[in-house]
């Protein structure tokens, strides 16, 4: 696990504006085997925005406790190298639209 990965991703995605009013927040689960490379930052940002623009999750999925999981992550090579899972939620929380969180069973 690379502990600096969360900070790296938070810095890159901190100022991304919502691409859809239906999506309240985007939760990213990092791929902890990845090693941050500053030269990847622009591509990571661009790929996440492109990925979010392609999403059209159902209202019921967004409102569910688990949210709507993004299925096309593998189409974005740089993003999928750093991010294991992307989940979309209807509810908005204070802070950045993009939230970096460890896996659910992470201790």
């Amino acid at each position: 696990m690379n502990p600096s990965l969360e900070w790296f991703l938070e810095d890159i995605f901190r100022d991304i504006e919502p691409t859809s009013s239906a999506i309240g927040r985007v939760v990213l689960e990092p791929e902890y085997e990845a090693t941050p490379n500053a030269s990847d930052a622009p591509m990571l940002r661009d790929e996440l925005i492109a990925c979010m623009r392609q999403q059209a999750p159902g209202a019921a999925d967004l409102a569910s406790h688990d949210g709507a999981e993004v299925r096309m992550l593998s189409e974005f090579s740089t993003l999928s190298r750093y991010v294991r899972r992307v989940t979309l939620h209807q509810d908005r929380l204070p802070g950045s639209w993009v939230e970096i969180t460890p896996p659910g069973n992470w201790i």
Side-chain angles (χ1 to χ4, degrees), residues 9 27-32 82-86 99-104:
L9 294 173
V27 179
L28 304 181
E29 181 183 315
E31 178 58 69
Y32 283 104
Y82 285 94
V83 176
R84 178 181 302 183
R85 178 177 297 136
V86 178
E99 175 185 342
I100 310 302
T101 186

Side-chain angles (χ1 to χ4, degrees), residues 6 13 51 56-58 64 90 104:
E6 285 182 45
F13 300 135
C51 181
S64 73
Q90 182 180 30

